[in-house]
Amino acid sequence: MPVMRINNNNFQRNANISMVSQTIWRKPGISRIEIARELNLYRSTVTNIIQTLIDANVVYEAEEGEVTSQGGRRPILLRINERMGCVLGLELQVDRFRGVVVDVYGTTLHQIEGTVQAKHFSEVFAEVVERMRPVVESTRLPLLGICVGLPGIVNPDECTIIKSDPFKLENYPFGKEIGCSYPVPVLLENDANCCAWEALARYRDTALKDFLCVLAEHHGHNAQTGLGPGMGVGMALVLGGKLHYGKRYAAGEFTSVLWRPGDGSQFGMSFQEMVRIQQDDEVYKTFVAELFESLKPVVSIFDPEVVFLHGDICARQDLVQSVYNERLDGLKKVMDRVNCRLEFSTGGRMDVAHGAASMFLGKLFSVPELSDVRGYVRLDWDEVFALVSQGSKKTAK
């Protein structure tokens, strides 16, 4: 996987290209003059970078804009080329997968879900990528990258699975052993964090900077892993427009305030209750109430602008909303006090897969920072240009 390091001679060039392309991605239809003004760059610098992007089929000149009050020529408006490529986003579980193919603006081109045989994570990944290959090829767009979301603690900078109980993995160097064997960059992320990347991409041209994503998905009993049925919950915290990972990449690992040692899930609910949670509305209300009770201190301390709900819980929106509104000691009072809103995702079951693809786009159009001590994985633009060029040649044949 191509990685741009801070001491690389191409760092400044990549940074400048990233700044310009990110600005166009966030504000389609912006002009060269507006880019130069917004980034505080010389117009000649912006013009040279844009010409590089145009030559690489990454940017194109769209239509002419309106003449300003000062008169002069109509500005030429710029857009990222929707045909420059596509991204494959995957959610992998021990028994199933969900996959989406999106364009560079995050628009879903195809989505598929299915079952997989319970086996090693690397084999599941290879099987699913192969099953998605005809779908990707049907878009007739160059594949720019693959990103995978999974349950567990993930180090996305090194593409390592630190710990995943469902897959029985610990300190697994997926990027070095598997990801590097693919012709495109392969990235890895925690499933709840993928939801945060989706929100960051969707609100990329807004002032939304601080929010919380809660992913709640139902899982059945799995004989191979020994995991019982119930609801699995993960959280992602975004502060100042950036995901907060924590020193061990474990930020967002959820445990209910009612959980006690020996409980078989993340909650204080009994095994019998978790078995009935999909069929019994009262049990589901108990789960929601316990989840909201656990979110109260998080919302109070971090003061987010929005709490996004993702996953299966969004299919029970009416029930969830009733618990939120009616429990007098619940989350709503705290949310009202800090002026935070509750928002249900519309992505449904594909949230994690779409969020994984959004992570790739977020990194592609992000600006490298010298202050990033973790050596954050960056995609080198020359490598991206080569993928776009190779894919364009194949499509032309």
Side-chain angles (χ1 to χ4, degrees), residues 170-338:
E170 192 164 346
N171 296 322
Y172 177 61
F174 174 78
K176 293 180 179 178
E177 293 196 3
I178 306 298
C180 64
S181 63
Y182 284 79
V184 296
V186 178
L187 307 183
L188 201 65
E189 182 60 283
N190 164 268
D191 50 6
N193 286 344
C194 286
C195 295
W197 281 104
E198 188 279 330
L200 283 168
R202 182 157 40 99
Y203 288 92
R204 58 183 175 265
D205 190 30
T206 71
L208 184 63
K209 299 295 182 183
D210 302 305
F211 58 87
L212 180 69
C213 289
V214 179
L215 172 67
E217 294 190 303
H218 181 264
H219 54 80
H221 174 71
N222 187 283
Q224 180 162 334
T225 65
L227 296 174
M231 296 295 294
V233 172
M235 294 195 299
L237 183 64
V238 174
L239 298 173
K242 293 184 179 181
L243 256 168
H244 176 71
Y245 284 101
K247 63 182 182 298
R248 297 180 297 110
Y249 292 90
E253 288 295 297
F254 177 85
T255 302
S256 164
V257 293
L258 300 183
W259 179 87
R260 296 293 180 269
D263 289 343
S265 69
Q266 298 168 287
F267 291 83
M269 299 170 66
S270 67
F271 176 82
Q272 291 74 19
E273 287 176 309
M274 282 297 184
V275 169
R276 305 198 316 272
I277 196 167
Q278 289 290 78
Q279 294 77 36
D280 192 325
D281 283 356
E282 291 305 312
V283 173
Y284 206 96
K285 287 180 180 180
T286 300
F287 155 72
V288 173
E290 186 174 336
L291 172 62
F292 283 171
E293 190 71 18
S294 301
L295 290 179
K296 284 197 314 187
V298 180
V299 171
S300 181
I301 291 170
F302 288 103
D303 190 26
E305 301 164 67
V306 189
V307 173
F308 293 103
L309 296 182
H310 298 266
D312 298 330
I313 196 172
C314 295
R316 309 294 298 272
Q317 182 171 339
D318 290 342
L319 181 149
V320 173
Q321 193 72 54
S322 70
V323 175
Y324 178 72
N325 291 333
E326 296 167 9
R327 300 280 175 138
L328 296 179
D329 59 343
L331 178 65
K332 189 174 188 302
K333 278 190 174 181
V334 176
M335 298 274 281
D336 290 343
R337 177 168 58 83
V338 300

